[in-house]
Amino acid sequence: MSRLLKMLFYLLPPLLVVIAATTVNFKTDLSAFIIAGDNVEELLLASEMQSGALSRRYLISVGSESLKPVPKAFMQTLRTRLNAIDGVVDVWSPEQQNNLEPVLQSLYGHYGGALYSLDPEEDLAALFTPQGLTQRAEFLKQALLSPQGAIVKKIALQDPLLLILSGFRTVGEQMRQTTQDDAQFRNLILETEADGLDAVRQSRIQTSIDAVFNELMQTHREAWQLEMTGVPVFAAATQKLIQGDITQVSILSSLALMMLFLLLFRSFGALFQVFTLLMTVVLSAILATSIIFGYVHGMTVAIGSTLIGICIDYPIHALAHAAQAENKSAAIVKIWPSMLLGGVTTLIGYAALGASGYPGFQQVAVYAGTGIVAALLLTRFILPGLVADGRRGRLNVPLVAVWASFSDHYRRWLLVLLLVLVGASLFGVQSLRWLEDMQDLTPELNYLKDNDKRIRARMVSIEPGRFVMITADDTESVLQKSERVYTVLEQLKRQGDLTDYFGLYPWLLSAERQWHNQELLQRYLTDENRRLWRLALRQQGLSVERLGDLNYPKQEPLTLERVFATPVKRLIDSRVITTENRSVVMIWLADHKPVALQEAFASIDGVRYFSQRDMLNDMTRDYTDRARILLTVGLALIMLLLIVRYKNPVKAIRTLLPALLAALLILGFWSMSGAAISFLHLVGFLLVVAICVDYGIFYQENRGGDIDLTYQAMAASMLTSVLAFGCLGTAESTSLKILAGVVALGVLLGFLFCPLIIRPTDDAKSVGPKI
Amino acid sequence: MNPIKRHGFKFGIGLIALIFSCTGRSEDTLTALMQRMQSDTAVRIAYRETRTLELMESPWLGSGYMYSLPPDLMIREQLQPERVLMAVKGEQMFYYDPSEDVRRQDEMDYDSPLTLNLTVFKALINADEDLLRKVYRVDFVSREQGWVMTLKPKQSKESGFSIVISGPAGQQADRIEVKQPDGDSSEFALQKDAEGVEVEAEVNRLYLELQGK
């Protein structure tokens, strides 16, 4: 290789670093890892979770379990100070309804005749009786005598029967429950400008919230605490977790691999050559991923860092075989077919990872796939030129020769032992426990989930993540469907299956229902009913002159847009999502019996009881099923490849067997330990097979003709893989730990089984002459 | 409980404060008046309330007693047209409607316009003239025949809302008039009824009743 070419090779990483630094968009937000369903409604909800109004809100709770409630004056000061934080749109108290009273009068005062009831036939029949009208006049008098009399007066002049207040009576009750549920704590809702998943900006806001509170607390002796929850809190915490993992895993695995390489090869020159090659591989993978996806996610880099541990295998084999060969290039070329076949089988494993459907893994697959291809090509076409002049000692990994010799001597007994273990594993596999709750994959976030549950319990009686979801093509249709649902929910309340629900009524009804209500009311406004009303007014001492005319002119229906132009928006915007061709209404639920609701809505088109947890668990099952299929397909593909390569099914099976048995033993181990198996374990098994089959191939083909050396090279590459995945196992993320644990253990077992299962002497002869 | 009633008790309590707080002399200034405010004995005052509302054919009448027990307990016992108890103690407000057996307790909310009167109460009971002047424009007039204090909210002084408290020279308030921006008004006629240990015992009994003890 010419000096110029060598120089170009060593200049490649810095050049790629510059290109990557200037062109690649690195992301650490969670959008790529948000688990969305596979239907339109669930995707809409997922999108709402990422950037909708709800995602941008914090629920803040201040107080202490043991102290007296925080004074409202303190909360007012806190609210004012929080409002001044850059990026905060508004802060309000969930029980705050003062600013709704003007809306009630100015907007809803005109719509009494349209929004008064969900069941106008029954309600009007009860109202327009002598007794009903007398009671209504009594209520009107009480309301006028209350301190809210000024507002009631304005409403009564437009709506003497106070029809609009009928619907709002339940809202008043719900709001009052909110204030009384946990008097020890005072709560605030804070809305930000930034999306909930914009973890960088949200982290800054969270720091500012804490700073404002701590500053205020300097003048108070009480030990009040501020707690917050919401999508932004989860986003910031998860990002912190991911960033910590990326930094830790990347640095640790790079340093550990360098140390290991140095220990194995005892050559700084080789270290420099191989790690320059690996840097080129990683940077190429980053650039390729960026070109395909437009960005590179931090998690991809974290998981992809294991790539170094896999890609280093090819130069390790090359260096090991070239070390003492006269013609080093020829030695590397000689083992190239084994490397290529091994690379292809590993690629199949990563392709399956990408096809698992788990968010973000597609990027990992592309990243790893590109890396493997780049590593193979560089090992084949560049490395021989770099190592042509050097002379190194023979690779000698401790205990490897001992194990090879031991397994050769006691093969029969060891095979019996292996068979027993395999039998036990097969027996255990039957009692394998499958993971059913997706939340078990993220126990590191349990403290946030507990925190969320605790804070929400202080604020509302709504069960988070459970609601009735109604979908239709447009707003009017979805409102009409919702009205049918309210009737069912009322029935469920009467049966005791539901304590309360929070829909769009009385804030809004469909235009169809508003017209219907108005028309029906007109029919009741007869001379006789007017006479009865005036009589009732006189009995209560109310002004017949000002209130006696039941004049309810027909109004154009109230629209969602008009409601959203008022402060009512922030009360109900979590209950409706509208896009150009889809509208979704979410009716939130208080305590309820899920089965009763599921059954109630099972046969209503476009309506379903939705449980976020159930959805996630359904998806867990889907992912697991998909992972099972991928495992089967992946194995079949690898098998097929080996059969094509060897034109001998027995030989192909023997090559694959160490990998398969390693995976099977891990399965048995997991089933005996009682741990639940997730789709991540299955993906891990596939990676084990994809990586271990390389060992089978190298051992089977033994292209260097020196089986001891081949096994030494395999040991070195196994150690690098175990080390890389071991480093991944130090991550805090449970998903990464699972993946790392399965692969690291599987790779070790696969390596150990090779000399037991594959007879090298026979095979070595069949592949080709020694160099 | 009807939400309207809930806020009603805040309003009523505000008035109690005004009644007990205001005594004056011919030579009084507001500052001097406020310095003398705190009483050291339990007091009972009989009241008659007349509300004149545009949407009612005739004025509404109510009556009952108001009690004060230093340092910070005030109770209003409305007897006519139906019995209702309301109280404020420190920062806490209490409500009890025996006919519906509804009890409620809440903290004073300085944000709410419905408890604007309570700000007056807090200011007067603590002799906090600054707080009073922060929220209200205060006109205090003292003459030979009596004194008059007029309070108008600072933020919307042209709104038409006002509280006028008046009393004979050197004596406590005997009349309070609350005028709403829409022309409706309430007038309280007050008469000191009793004071001393017996009233104190009555106040404590009513306070326990309010708390449901």
Side-chain angles (χ1 to χ4, degrees), chain B residues 96-121:
Chain B
Y96 176 45
D97 181 347
S99 64
E100 292 185 34
D101 194 26
V102 172
R103 280 193 175 78
R104 193 158 294 283
Q105 183 180 350
D106 201 357
E107 191 189 342
M108 283 170 64
D109 182 358
Y110 294 99
D111 281 347
S112 169
L114 294 168
T115 54
L116 201 60
N117 299 314
L118 294 174
T119 312
V120 183
F121 154 68

PDB file of all heavy atoms in Angstrom, chain B residues 96-121:
ATOM      1  N   TYR B  96     -72.480  26.775  57.661  1.00  0.00           N
ATOM      2  CA  TYR B  96     -73.332  25.642  58.047  1.00  0.00           C
ATOM      3  C   TYR B  96     -74.789  25.996  57.773  1.00  0.00           C
ATOM      4  O   TYR B  96     -75.293  27.015  58.244  1.00  0.00           O
ATOM      5  CB  TYR B  96     -73.130  25.322  59.532  1.00  0.00           C
ATOM      6  CG  TYR B  96     -74.042  24.228  60.042  1.00  0.00           C
ATOM      7  CD1 TYR B  96     -74.242  23.053  59.319  1.00  0.00           C
ATOM      8  CD2 TYR B  96     -74.703  24.368  61.264  1.00  0.00           C
ATOM      9  CE1 TYR B  96     -75.078  22.052  59.788  1.00  0.00           C
ATOM     10  CE2 TYR B  96     -75.540  23.373  61.745  1.00  0.00           C
ATOM     11  CZ  TYR B  96     -75.726  22.211  60.991  1.00  0.00           C
ATOM     12  OH  TYR B  96     -76.554  21.221  61.443  1.00  0.00           O
ATOM     13  N   ASP B  97     -75.410  25.130  56.954  1.00  0.00           N
ATOM     14  CA  ASP B  97     -76.836  25.306  56.647  1.00  0.00           C
ATOM     15  C   ASP B  97     -77.578  24.151  57.311  1.00  0.00           C
ATOM     16  O   ASP B  97     -77.574  23.029  56.794  1.00  0.00           O
ATOM     17  CB  ASP B  97     -77.022  25.277  55.125  1.00  0.00           C
ATOM     18  CG  ASP B  97     -78.474  25.472  54.732  1.00  0.00           C
ATOM     19  OD1 ASP B  97     -79.351  25.386  55.615  1.00  0.00           O
ATOM     20  OD2 ASP B  97     -78.731  25.710  53.529  1.00  0.00           O
ATOM     21  N   PRO B  98     -78.190  24.379  58.488  1.00  0.00           N
ATOM     22  CA  PRO B  98     -78.824  23.263  59.212  1.00  0.00           C
ATOM     23  C   PRO B  98     -79.972  22.631  58.437  1.00  0.00           C
ATOM     24  O   PRO B  98     -80.170  21.418  58.521  1.00  0.00           O
ATOM     25  CB  PRO B  98     -79.349  23.935  60.496  1.00  0.00           C
ATOM     26  CG  PRO B  98     -78.621  25.233  60.593  1.00  0.00           C
ATOM     27  CD  PRO B  98     -78.309  25.642  59.211  1.00  0.00           C
ATOM     28  N   SER B  99     -80.706  23.433  57.636  1.00  0.00           N
ATOM     29  CA  SER B  99     -81.855  22.854  56.928  1.00  0.00           C
ATOM     30  C   SER B  99     -81.413  21.805  55.917  1.00  0.00           C
ATOM     31  O   SER B  99     -82.102  20.818  55.675  1.00  0.00           O
ATOM     32  CB  SER B  99     -82.663  23.952  56.242  1.00  0.00           C
ATOM     33  OG  SER B  99     -81.862  24.556  55.250  1.00  0.00           O
ATOM     34  N   GLU B 100     -80.253  22.005  55.313  1.00  0.00           N
ATOM     35  CA  GLU B 100     -79.738  21.027  54.343  1.00  0.00           C
ATOM     36  C   GLU B 100     -78.591  20.200  54.923  1.00  0.00           C
ATOM     37  O   GLU B 100     -78.006  19.373  54.226  1.00  0.00           O
ATOM     38  CB  GLU B 100     -79.267  21.752  53.077  1.00  0.00           C
ATOM     39  CG  GLU B 100     -80.422  22.370  52.308  1.00  0.00           C
ATOM     40  CD  GLU B 100     -79.957  22.988  50.996  1.00  0.00           C
ATOM     41  OE1 GLU B 100     -79.024  22.451  50.373  1.00  0.00           O
ATOM     42  OE2 GLU B 100     -80.535  24.010  50.611  1.00  0.00           O
ATOM     43  N   ASP B 101     -78.234  20.480  56.171  1.00  0.00           N
ATOM     44  CA  ASP B 101     -77.127  19.820  56.857  1.00  0.00           C
ATOM     45  C   ASP B 101     -75.844  19.859  56.012  1.00  0.00           C
ATOM     46  O   ASP B 101     -75.199  18.840  55.755  1.00  0.00           O
ATOM     47  CB  ASP B 101     -77.500  18.368  57.202  1.00  0.00           C
ATOM     48  CG  ASP B 101     -76.505  17.771  58.204  1.00  0.00           C
ATOM     49  OD1 ASP B 101     -75.900  18.559  58.966  1.00  0.00           O
ATOM     50  OD2 ASP B 101     -76.321  16.542  58.202  1.00  0.00           O
ATOM     51  N   VAL B 102     -75.521  21.035  55.552  1.00  0.00           N
ATOM     52  CA  VAL B 102     -74.320  21.209  54.725  1.00  0.00           C
ATOM     53  C   VAL B 102     -73.312  22.047  55.492  1.00  0.00           C
ATOM     54  O   VAL B 102     -73.636  23.128  55.987  1.00  0.00           O
ATOM     55  CB  VAL B 102     -74.675  21.907  53.393  1.00  0.00           C
ATOM     56  CG1 VAL B 102     -73.403  22.267  52.634  1.00  0.00           C
ATOM     57  CG2 VAL B 102     -75.553  21.011  52.549  1.00  0.00           C
ATOM     58  N   ARG B 103     -72.098  21.512  55.615  1.00  0.00           N
ATOM     59  CA  ARG B 103     -71.018  22.251  56.266  1.00  0.00           C
ATOM     60  C   ARG B 103     -69.899  22.473  55.253  1.00  0.00           C
ATOM     61  O   ARG B 103     -69.632  21.627  54.420  1.00  0.00           O
ATOM     62  CB  ARG B 103     -70.443  21.448  57.437  1.00  0.00           C
ATOM     63  CG  ARG B 103     -71.251  21.534  58.674  1.00  0.00           C
ATOM     64  CD  ARG B 103     -70.497  20.993  59.886  1.00  0.00           C
ATOM     65  NE  ARG B 103     -71.306  21.232  61.071  1.00  0.00           N
ATOM     66  CZ  ARG B 103     -72.345  20.489  61.404  1.00  0.00           C
ATOM     67  NH1 ARG B 103     -72.704  19.469  60.650  1.00  0.00           N
ATOM     68  NH2 ARG B 103     -73.047  20.768  62.487  1.00  0.00           N
ATOM     69  N   ARG B 104     -69.237  23.594  55.356  1.00  0.00           N
ATOM     70  CA  ARG B 104     -68.102  23.856  54.470  1.00  0.00           C
ATOM     71  C   ARG B 104     -67.079  24.715  55.184  1.00  0.00           C
ATOM     72  O   ARG B 104     -67.435  25.559  56.021  1.00  0.00           O
ATOM     73  CB  ARG B 104     -68.571  24.560  53.204  1.00  0.00           C
ATOM     74  CG  ARG B 104     -67.529  24.586  52.132  1.00  0.00           C
ATOM     75  CD  ARG B 104     -68.149  24.770  50.783  1.00  0.00           C
ATOM     76  NE  ARG B 104     -68.959  23.629  50.400  1.00  0.00           N
ATOM     77  CZ  ARG B 104     -68.465  22.472  49.958  1.00  0.00           C
ATOM     78  NH1 ARG B 104     -67.167  22.322  49.840  1.00  0.00           N
ATOM     79  NH2 ARG B 104     -69.248  21.487  49.610  1.00  0.00           N
ATOM     80  N   GLN B 105     -65.839  24.434  54.865  1.00  0.00           N
ATOM     81  CA  GLN B 105     -64.748  25.226  55.439  1.00  0.00           C
ATOM     82  C   GLN B 105     -63.802  25.579  54.304  1.00  0.00           C
ATOM     83  O   GLN B 105     -63.538  24.749  53.431  1.00  0.00           O
ATOM     84  CB  GLN B 105     -64.011  24.405  56.505  1.00  0.00           C
ATOM     85  CG  GLN B 105     -62.911  25.184  57.196  1.00  0.00           C
ATOM     86  CD  GLN B 105     -62.198  24.354  58.257  1.00  0.00           C
ATOM     87  OE1 GLN B 105     -62.638  23.259  58.597  1.00  0.00           O
ATOM     88  NE2 GLN B 105     -61.096  24.874  58.771  1.00  0.00           N
ATOM     89  N   ASP B 106     -63.331  26.777  54.280  1.00  0.00           N
ATOM     90  CA  ASP B 106     -62.467  27.197  53.178  1.00  0.00           C
ATOM     91  C   ASP B 106     -61.494  28.255  53.682  1.00  0.00           C
ATOM     92  O   ASP B 106     -61.757  28.914  54.694  1.00  0.00           O
ATOM     93  CB  ASP B 106     -63.317  27.771  52.035  1.00  0.00           C
ATOM     94  CG  ASP B 106     -62.577  27.734  50.715  1.00  0.00           C
ATOM     95  OD1 ASP B 106     -61.401  27.328  50.709  1.00  0.00           O
ATOM     96  OD2 ASP B 106     -63.179  28.106  49.698  1.00  0.00           O
ATOM     97  N   GLU B 107     -60.423  28.371  52.938  1.00  0.00           N
ATOM     98  CA  GLU B 107     -59.471  29.423  53.289  1.00  0.00           C
ATOM     99  C   GLU B 107     -59.859  30.702  52.570  1.00  0.00           C
ATOM    100  O   GLU B 107     -60.409  30.662  51.470  1.00  0.00           O
ATOM    101  CB  GLU B 107     -58.070  28.996  52.843  1.00  0.00           C
ATOM    102  CG  GLU B 107     -56.980  29.867  53.385  1.00  0.00           C
ATOM    103  CD  GLU B 107     -55.643  29.550  52.746  1.00  0.00           C
ATOM    104  OE1 GLU B 107     -55.531  28.453  52.171  1.00  0.00           O
ATOM    105  OE2 GLU B 107     -54.752  30.389  52.814  1.00  0.00           O
ATOM    106  N   MET B 108     -59.587  31.824  53.193  1.00  0.00           N
ATOM    107  CA  MET B 108     -59.905  33.091  52.540  1.00  0.00           C
ATOM    108  C   MET B 108     -59.083  33.228  51.260  1.00  0.00           C
ATOM    109  O   MET B 108     -57.891  32.941  51.243  1.00  0.00           O
ATOM    110  CB  MET B 108     -59.591  34.248  53.484  1.00  0.00           C
ATOM    111  CG  MET B 108     -60.646  34.408  54.561  1.00  0.00           C
ATOM    112  SD  MET B 108     -60.171  35.559  55.835  1.00  0.00           S
ATOM    113  CE  MET B 108     -60.062  37.060  54.921  1.00  0.00           C
ATOM    114  N   ASP B 109     -59.737  33.633  50.204  1.00  0.00           N
ATOM    115  CA  ASP B 109     -59.079  33.752  48.914  1.00  0.00           C
ATOM    116  C   ASP B 109     -59.027  35.229  48.527  1.00  0.00           C
ATOM    117  O   ASP B 109     -60.036  35.815  48.142  1.00  0.00           O
ATOM    118  CB  ASP B 109     -59.879  32.947  47.875  1.00  0.00           C
ATOM    119  CG  ASP B 109     -59.229  32.968  46.513  1.00  0.00           C
ATOM    120  OD1 ASP B 109     -58.184  33.640  46.382  1.00  0.00           O
ATOM    121  OD2 ASP B 109     -59.754  32.336  45.592  1.00  0.00           O
ATOM    122  N   TYR B 110     -57.851  35.793  48.634  1.00  0.00           N
ATOM    123  CA  TYR B 110     -57.730  37.242  48.393  1.00  0.00           C
ATOM    124  C   TYR B 110     -57.877  37.596  46.912  1.00  0.00           C
ATOM    125  O   TYR B 110     -58.051  38.748  46.548  1.00  0.00           O
ATOM    126  CB  TYR B 110     -56.386  37.748  48.922  1.00  0.00           C
ATOM    127  CG  TYR B 110     -56.310  37.638  50.427  1.00  0.00           C
ATOM    128  CD1 TYR B 110     -55.656  36.575  51.032  1.00  0.00           C
ATOM    129  CD2 TYR B 110     -56.920  38.582  51.239  1.00  0.00           C
ATOM    130  CE1 TYR B 110     -55.598  36.454  52.403  1.00  0.00           C
ATOM    131  CE2 TYR B 110     -56.866  38.474  52.619  1.00  0.00           C
ATOM    132  CZ  TYR B 110     -56.205  37.405  53.198  1.00  0.00           C
ATOM    133  OH  TYR B 110     -56.171  37.294  54.560  1.00  0.00           O
ATOM    134  N   ASP B 111     -57.764  36.561  46.054  1.00  0.00           N
ATOM    135  CA  ASP B 111     -57.890  36.813  44.611  1.00  0.00           C
ATOM    136  C   ASP B 111     -59.321  37.045  44.189  1.00  0.00           C
ATOM    137  O   ASP B 111     -59.590  37.750  43.229  1.00  0.00           O
ATOM    138  CB  ASP B 111     -57.432  35.568  43.841  1.00  0.00           C
ATOM    139  CG  ASP B 111     -55.938  35.510  43.792  1.00  0.00           C
ATOM    140  OD1 ASP B 111     -55.325  36.535  44.122  1.00  0.00           O
ATOM    141  OD2 ASP B 111     -55.412  34.449  43.454  1.00  0.00           O
ATOM    142  N   SER B 112     -60.196  36.402  44.895  1.00  0.00           N
ATOM    143  CA  SER B 112     -61.570  36.366  44.416  1.00  0.00           C
ATOM    144  C   SER B 112     -62.301  37.677  44.679  1.00  0.00           C
ATOM    145  O   SER B 112     -62.295  38.185  45.806  1.00  0.00           O
ATOM    146  CB  SER B 112     -62.308  35.220  45.101  1.00  0.00           C
ATOM    147  OG  SER B 112     -63.673  35.327  44.857  1.00  0.00           O
ATOM    148  N   PRO B 113     -62.956  38.221  43.645  1.00  0.00           N
ATOM    149  CA  PRO B 113     -63.721  39.451  43.858  1.00  0.00           C
ATOM    150  C   PRO B 113     -64.870  39.222  44.843  1.00  0.00           C
ATOM    151  O   PRO B 113     -65.338  40.141  45.479  1.00  0.00           O
ATOM    152  CB  PRO B 113     -64.251  39.804  42.467  1.00  0.00           C
ATOM    153  CG  PRO B 113     -64.046  38.607  41.636  1.00  0.00           C
ATOM    154  CD  PRO B 113     -63.002  37.765  42.259  1.00  0.00           C
ATOM    155  N   LEU B 114     -65.253  37.931  44.950  1.00  0.00           N
ATOM    156  CA  LEU B 114     -66.356  37.619  45.863  1.00  0.00           C
ATOM    157  C   LEU B 114     -65.955  37.824  47.317  1.00  0.00           C
ATOM    158  O   LEU B 114     -66.783  37.991  48.198  1.00  0.00           O
ATOM    159  CB  LEU B 114     -66.801  36.171  45.656  1.00  0.00           C
ATOM    160  CG  LEU B 114     -67.428  35.892  44.307  1.00  0.00           C
ATOM    161  CD1 LEU B 114     -67.567  34.405  44.095  1.00  0.00           C
ATOM    162  CD2 LEU B 114     -68.766  36.567  44.190  1.00  0.00           C
ATOM    163  N   THR B 115     -64.662  37.807  47.574  1.00  0.00           N
ATOM    164  CA  THR B 115     -64.218  37.991  48.962  1.00  0.00           C
ATOM    165  C   THR B 115     -63.510  39.335  49.140  1.00  0.00           C
ATOM    166  O   THR B 115     -62.688  39.505  50.029  1.00  0.00           O
ATOM    167  CB  THR B 115     -63.278  36.854  49.390  1.00  0.00           C
ATOM    168  OG1 THR B 115     -62.233  36.783  48.439  1.00  0.00           O
ATOM    169  CG2 THR B 115     -63.988  35.533  49.491  1.00  0.00           C
ATOM    170  N   LEU B 116     -63.871  40.239  48.277  1.00  0.00           N
ATOM    171  CA  LEU B 116     -63.281  41.579  48.356  1.00  0.00           C
ATOM    172  C   LEU B 116     -63.509  42.177  49.747  1.00  0.00           C
ATOM    173  O   LEU B 116     -62.641  42.814  50.336  1.00  0.00           O
ATOM    174  CB  LEU B 116     -63.942  42.473  47.290  1.00  0.00           C
ATOM    175  CG  LEU B 116     -63.169  43.713  46.853  1.00  0.00           C
ATOM    176  CD1 LEU B 116     -61.837  43.336  46.254  1.00  0.00           C
ATOM    177  CD2 LEU B 116     -63.994  44.502  45.842  1.00  0.00           C
ATOM    178  N   ASN B 117     -64.710  41.936  50.264  1.00  0.00           N
ATOM    179  CA  ASN B 117     -65.046  42.469  51.585  1.00  0.00           C
ATOM    180  C   ASN B 117     -64.143  41.934  52.677  1.00  0.00           C
ATOM    181  O   ASN B 117     -63.895  42.592  53.671  1.00  0.00           O
ATOM    182  CB  ASN B 117     -66.487  42.097  51.947  1.00  0.00           C
ATOM    183  CG  ASN B 117     -67.436  42.687  50.949  1.00  0.00           C
ATOM    184  OD1 ASN B 117     -67.317  43.839  50.607  1.00  0.00           O
ATOM    185  ND2 ASN B 117     -68.366  41.876  50.479  1.00  0.00           N
ATOM    186  N   LEU B 118     -63.671  40.700  52.465  1.00  0.00           N
ATOM    187  CA  LEU B 118     -62.827  40.099  53.490  1.00  0.00           C
ATOM    188  C   LEU B 118     -61.487  40.809  53.595  1.00  0.00           C
ATOM    189  O   LEU B 118     -60.851  40.795  54.637  1.00  0.00           O
ATOM    190  CB  LEU B 118     -62.624  38.617  53.190  1.00  0.00           C
ATOM    191  CG  LEU B 118     -63.888  37.794  53.301  1.00  0.00           C
ATOM    192  CD1 LEU B 118     -63.633  36.374  52.848  1.00  0.00           C
ATOM    193  CD2 LEU B 118     -64.416  37.798  54.726  1.00  0.00           C
ATOM    194  N   THR B 119     -61.069  41.373  52.482  1.00  0.00           N
ATOM    195  CA  THR B 119     -59.836  42.146  52.519  1.00  0.00           C
ATOM    196  C   THR B 119     -60.027  43.339  53.465  1.00  0.00           C
ATOM    197  O   THR B 119     -59.136  43.677  54.246  1.00  0.00           O
ATOM    198  CB  THR B 119     -59.481  42.656  51.102  1.00  0.00           C
ATOM    199  OG1 THR B 119     -59.595  41.575  50.211  1.00  0.00           O
ATOM    200  CG2 THR B 119     -58.094  43.236  51.052  1.00  0.00           C
ATOM    201  N   VAL B 120     -61.202  43.911  53.387  1.00  0.00           N
ATOM    202  CA  VAL B 120     -61.516  45.020  54.294  1.00  0.00           C
ATOM    203  C   VAL B 120     -61.450  44.513  55.729  1.00  0.00           C
ATOM    204  O   VAL B 120     -60.855  45.128  56.609  1.00  0.00           O
ATOM    205  CB  VAL B 120     -62.945  45.552  54.018  1.00  0.00           C
ATOM    206  CG1 VAL B 120     -63.243  46.746  54.909  1.00  0.00           C
ATOM    207  CG2 VAL B 120     -63.105  45.895  52.568  1.00  0.00           C
ATOM    208  N   PHE B 121     -62.077  43.357  55.917  1.00  0.00           N
ATOM    209  CA  PHE B 121     -62.093  42.770  57.257  1.00  0.00           C
ATOM    210  C   PHE B 121     -60.685  42.574  57.796  1.00  0.00           C
ATOM    211  O   PHE B 121     -60.345  42.987  58.901  1.00  0.00           O
ATOM    212  CB  PHE B 121     -62.835  41.435  57.207  1.00  0.00           C
ATOM    213  CG  PHE B 121     -62.417  40.475  58.271  1.00  0.00           C
ATOM    214  CD1 PHE B 121     -62.716  40.744  59.604  1.00  0.00           C
ATOM    215  CD2 PHE B 121     -61.732  39.328  57.955  1.00  0.00           C
ATOM    216  CE1 PHE B 121     -62.320  39.861  60.592  1.00  0.00           C
ATOM    217  CE2 PHE B 121     -61.334  38.452  58.938  1.00  0.00           C
ATOM    218  CZ  PHE B 121     -61.629  38.715  60.260  1.00  0.00           C
TER     219      PHE B 121
END
